[in-house]
C-alpha cells in the first residue's frame, strides 16, 4: 500500500487552488486535482461532488474546509502551496542556462506531478492551456533535453505507475519520468539502484529534490528514560496524542468522500512498515551518497522541519510537555501526532540559519549551503502583500514549523 501521507499531502496541496489567497497566485500544479480525483474515484463519491457543484456549494465548502484546516494547522496548507512553487522554481532554474542541469531526481516523489509536468512542457505549464491560447505550431516549445527520475518505496512507485496509466494514457503527450523503486533509508543501495536506471548519468550536473523527506527531530530517548516520572509522562502524552489524532480525523467528516483517500485515516502504524522520513544519520548518509553519483555544481533542494521555530528536536519531547506549546510548536505537535498515527513519525529537524545548517548538517557531506528560507522569509517571498489580509483570521501566513533550502555540491 502506498505511504499514507502521500494521499493527505495530495489533498492539502490543492487547497489554494480551491480557495484563492489574497494577493498571491496559487501553485501551478494543474494535475494535482486530477490526481486527487483519480485516487479517490467511485460512483458514490463522484455524485457527492456533482451535487455540491449543482447547488453552488462547492466553493463555500472549500472555504469552510480551509478555515477548519487553518484552525488545526495554522498556515500549513499555504506552506504546502509555497513548497510546490519553490520546487517548481528550483527545476526551472536548475535546467536553465545559469545552472545547466541535465537531469532531475525527485526523492520520495509520492504522487507529485512535477516530473510529468516538466517533461510535457519545459516550464511545467499545461500543454492543453498553451495550445488553446495559441494554435500556431511555431509557438509550441520544443521538448527539453531533460531526464527526470522519481525515487520512492516500491508500493508508492506501483501506485504512481497505475495512476499515470489510468489518468494520462497518452505517453507521447505525457512523457513518463523514470520511476525507480528503492528504500532511501539504505542510501548506498538506493543510489546503486538509481545508477542502474536507464539514462542516468553519474557525471551529469543534477538537481536532487527532497520534498517532505529530510524532516523530523533527533531522538533523545535514553536521556528521557532517565528522567523521573517517565511512565506517568508517557501516559499523559499518549492521551494528548489520542485527542489530537481524533481531532484531525474528525476534520475528514467535513470532507466529501470523493476526497478521502481509499486508505483509512484511523491510526494504524502496522499498515506502514516503511517510514518515508529519515533520521539524521541516514539523512547525512544519503546526502553523502548522492554527492558520489553526480557532477560538480549539482544542486540539492529540500524542505526541512525548522528546529529553531519549533523549539524542540523530536516529537517525543513535545508529547512529554505538560504546558501549552507556543503557536509554532502547537502546529508541530498536531502534525507530529497525525503522522505518527499514520505510522510515519517525524525523525529529524534542521537549524534555520545558513551558518548553523552548514556546521551541523552539511559539514563533511561534500555539499555547501547555497540558500536557506526560514518560515518568515517563505511568507514574504511567496505571499507578498497577503500578510495583513491573512492575519485578519489570526493565523500565520505560512506554518512556522518548516523551512526550505538549496545546497550545492562542492
Amino acid at each position: 500500500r502506498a505511504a499514507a501521507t502521500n494521499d493527505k499531502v495530495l489533498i492539502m496541496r490543492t487547497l489554494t487552488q480551491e480557495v484563492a489567497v489574497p494577493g498571491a497566485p496559487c501553485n501551478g500544479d494543474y494535475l494535482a486535482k486530477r490526481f486527487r480525483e483519480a485516487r479517490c474515484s467511485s460512483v458514490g463519491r463522484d455524485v457527492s461532488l456533482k451535487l455540491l457543484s449543482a447547488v453552488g456549494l462547492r466553493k463555500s465548502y472549500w472555504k469552510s474546509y480551509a478555515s477548519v484546516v487553518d484552525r488545526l494547522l495554522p498556515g500549513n496548507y499555504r506552506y504546502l502551496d509555497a513548497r510546490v512553487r519553490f520546487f517548481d522554481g528550483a527545476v526551472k532554474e536548475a535546467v536553465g542556462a545559469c545552472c545547466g542541469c541535465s537531469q532531475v531526481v525527485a526523492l520520495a516523489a509520492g504522487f507529485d506531478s512535477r516530473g510529468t509536468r516538466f517533461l510535457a512542457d519545459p516550464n511545467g505549464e499545461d500543454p492543453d492551456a498553451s495550445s488553446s491560447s495559441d494554435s500556431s505550431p511555431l509557438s509550441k516549445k520544443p521538448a527539453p533535453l531533460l531526464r527526470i527520475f522519481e525515487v520512492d518505496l516500491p508500493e508508492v512507485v506501483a501506485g504512481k505507475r497505475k495512476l499515470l496509466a489510468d489518468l494520462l494514457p497518452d505517453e507521447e503527450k505525457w512523457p513518463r519520468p523514470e520511476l525507480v523503486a528503492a528504500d532511501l533509508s539504505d542510501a548506498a543501495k538506493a543510489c546503486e539502484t538509481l545508477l542502474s536506471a536507464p539514462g542516468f548519468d553519474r557525471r551529469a550536473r543534477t538537481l536532487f529534490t527532497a520534498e517532505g523527506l529530510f524532516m523530523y527531530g533527533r531522538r533523545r530517548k535514553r536521556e528521557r528514560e532517565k528522567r523521573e516520572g517517565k511512565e506517568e509522562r508517557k501516559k499523559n502524552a499518549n492521551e494528548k496524542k489520542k485527542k489530537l489524532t481524533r481531532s484531525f480525523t474528525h476534520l475528514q467528516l467535513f470532507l466529501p468522500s470523493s476526497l478521502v483517500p481509499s486508505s483509512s485515516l484511523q491510526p494504524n502504524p502496522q499498515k506502514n512498515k516503511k517510514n518515508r522520513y529519515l533520521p539524521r544519520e541516514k539523512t547525512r548518509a544519503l546526502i553523502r551518497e548522492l554527492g558520489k553519483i553526480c557532477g560538480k555544481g549539482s544542486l540539492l533542494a529540500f524542505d526541512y522541519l525548522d528546529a529553531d521555530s519549533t523549539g524542540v528536536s523530536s516529537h517525543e519531547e513535545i508529547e512529554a510537555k505538560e504546558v501549552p506549546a507556543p503557536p509554532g510548536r502547537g502546529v508541530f505537535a498536531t502534525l507530529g501526532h497525525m503522522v505518527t498515527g499514520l505510522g510515519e513519525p517525524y525523525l529529524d529537524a534542521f537549524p534555520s540559519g545558513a551558518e548553523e545548517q552548514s556546521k551541523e548538517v552539511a559539514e563533511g557531506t561534500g555539499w555547501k549551503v547555497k540558500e536557506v528560507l526560514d518560515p518568515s522569509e517563505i511568507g514574504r517571498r511567496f505571499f507578498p502583500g497577503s500578510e495583513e489580509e491573512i492575519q485578519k483570521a489570526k493565523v500565520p501566513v505560512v506554518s512556522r514549523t518548516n523551512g526550505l533550502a538549496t545546497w550545492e555540491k562542492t
Side-chain angles (χ1 to χ4, degrees):
R1 189 171 70 84
T5 48
N6 287 316
D7 285 326
K8 314 306 177 287
V9 171
L10 182 57
I11 292 172
M12 293 285 283
R13 72 192 301 159
T14 62
L15 269 182
T16 52
Q17 298 177 10
E18 302 283 2
V19 181
V21 177
C26 65
N27 68 73
D29 189 352
Y30 59 88
L31 289 175
K33 287 185 185 180
R34 295 172 66 181
F35 279 21
R36 182 190 70 191
E37 302 293 332
R39 286 284 301 171
C40 313
S41 180
S42 74
V43 175
R45 294 168 181 173
D46 292 344
V47 168
S48 66
L49 269 184
K50 290 179 180 178
L51 286 174
L52 280 172
S53 300
V55 297
L57 292 178
R58 184 184 179 99
K59 192 170 183 179
S60 298
Y61 156 74
W62 278 115
K63 285 184 178 180
S64 300
Y65 179 70
S67 177
V68 174
V69 170
D70 246 353
R71 286 180 179 275
L72 285 174
L73 305 169
N76 185 256
Y77 79 85
R78 285 183 295 276
Y79 163 72
L80 290 175
D81 177 89
R83 189 172 80 172
V84 173
R85 289 193 273 158
F86 170 79
F87 283 104
D88 281 0
V91 173
K92 291 178 185 178
E93 182 178 348
V95 302
C98 60
C99 298
C101 292
S102 58
Q103 57 189 15
V104 176
V105 178
L107 306 170
F111 298 122
D112 172 63
S113 69
R114 187 169 296 110
T116 304
R117 288 187 286 118
F118 277 90
L119 286 175
D121 181 272
N123 293 314
E125 298 173 356
D126 187 349
D128 290 333
S130 59
S131 62
S132 61
S133 61
D134 191 341
S135 58
S136 171
L138 296 177
S139 66
K140 292 185 178 181
K141 305 179 182 71
L145 297 175
L146 179 67
R147 300 180 299 278
I148 298 182
F149 304 83
E150 295 186 356
V151 185
D152 216 316
L153 295 169
E155 61 268 29
V156 179
V157 168
K160 182 69 167 286
R161 187 171 282 115
K162 183 178 186 304
L163 180 68
L164 292 174
D166 293 344
L167 191 63
L168 306 171
D170 187 350
E171 294 192 28
E172 184 176 349
K173 179 180 178 181
W174 302 103
R176 302 288 195 258
E178 187 65 38
L179 302 181
V180 180
D183 182 358
L184 292 168
S185 64
D186 187 340
K189 188 174 180 180
C191 287
E192 284 180 13
T193 304
L194 182 58
L195 281 172
S196 64
F200 186 83
D201 183 0
R202 68 181 307 158
R203 297 166 299 180
R205 188 171 291 183
T206 305
L207 167 67
F208 295 96
T209 65
E211 192 171 357
L213 176 66
F214 296 162
M215 294 188 176
Y216 316 129
R218 291 154 292 178
R219 297 177 182 271
R220 296 178 178 175
K221 187 175 180 180
R222 291 181 182 176
E223 289 81 355
R224 286 197 311 278
E225 286 179 343
K226 295 177 183 178
R227 297 176 190 171
E228 225 177 295
K230 179 196 69 172
E231 291 301 326
E232 186 62 29
R233 287 197 303 273
K234 185 176 179 181
K235 181 180 177 181
N236 292 337
N238 285 337
E239 288 301 317
K240 293 178 183 178
K241 173 181 171 182
K242 289 177 183 177
K243 289 179 181 179
L244 283 166
T245 302
R246 282 197 300 268
S247 296
F248 192 87
T249 302
H250 290 162
L251 170 62
Q252 307 306 311
L253 296 176
F254 296 92
L255 186 66
S257 56
S258 58
L259 301 181
V260 179
S262 55
S263 56
S264 171
L265 273 175
Q266 296 299 330
N268 190 347
Q270 297 303 319
K271 287 189 177 181
N272 294 288
K273 304 275 184 178
K274 294 289 184 181
N275 187 352
R276 67 184 270 114
Y277 308 125
L278 303 178
R280 173 62 58 84
E281 64 275 9
K282 292 192 175 182
T283 295
R284 284 175 54 84
L286 177 59
I287 293 172
R288 283 195 299 270
E289 291 297 323
L290 293 176
K292 298 175 183 178
I293 60 171
C294 62
K296 186 177 180 180
S298 293
L299 300 171
L300 170 64
F302 61 92
D303 63 325
Y304 62 91
L305 188 70
D306 192 302
D308 299 334
S309 296
T310 59
V312 294
S313 60
S314 75
H315 68 290
E316 291 96 340
E317 288 185 13
I318 286 184
E319 293 175 359
K321 289 182 180 294
E322 297 179 359
V323 295
R329 302 184 194 181
V331 176
F332 177 52
T334 305
L335 284 170
H337 296 320
M338 182 187 74
V339 297
T340 299
L342 293 170
E344 297 186 306
Y346 288 169
L347 297 177
D348 199 10
F350 285 16
S352 60
E355 185 176 346
E356 292 81 2
Q357 206 170 99
S358 296
K359 290 180 180 178
E360 187 173 334
V361 190
E363 188 175 5
T365 63
W367 298 78
K368 65 178 180 180
V369 178
K370 184 179 180 182
E371 180 184 39
V372 175
L373 302 179
D374 63 20
S376 298
E377 181 60 30
I378 293 172
R380 287 192 293 269
R381 176 175 296 192
F382 295 100
F383 297 97
S386 304
E387 187 170 357
E388 183 178 347
E389 187 67 26
I390 293 172
Q391 289 185 342
K392 286 180 181 178
K394 298 181 179 179
V395 293
V397 178
V398 296
S399 170
R400 298 170 184 159
T401 61
N402 296 87
L404 300 164
T406 303
W407 292 5
E408 183 177 1
K409 183 184 174 183
T410 56

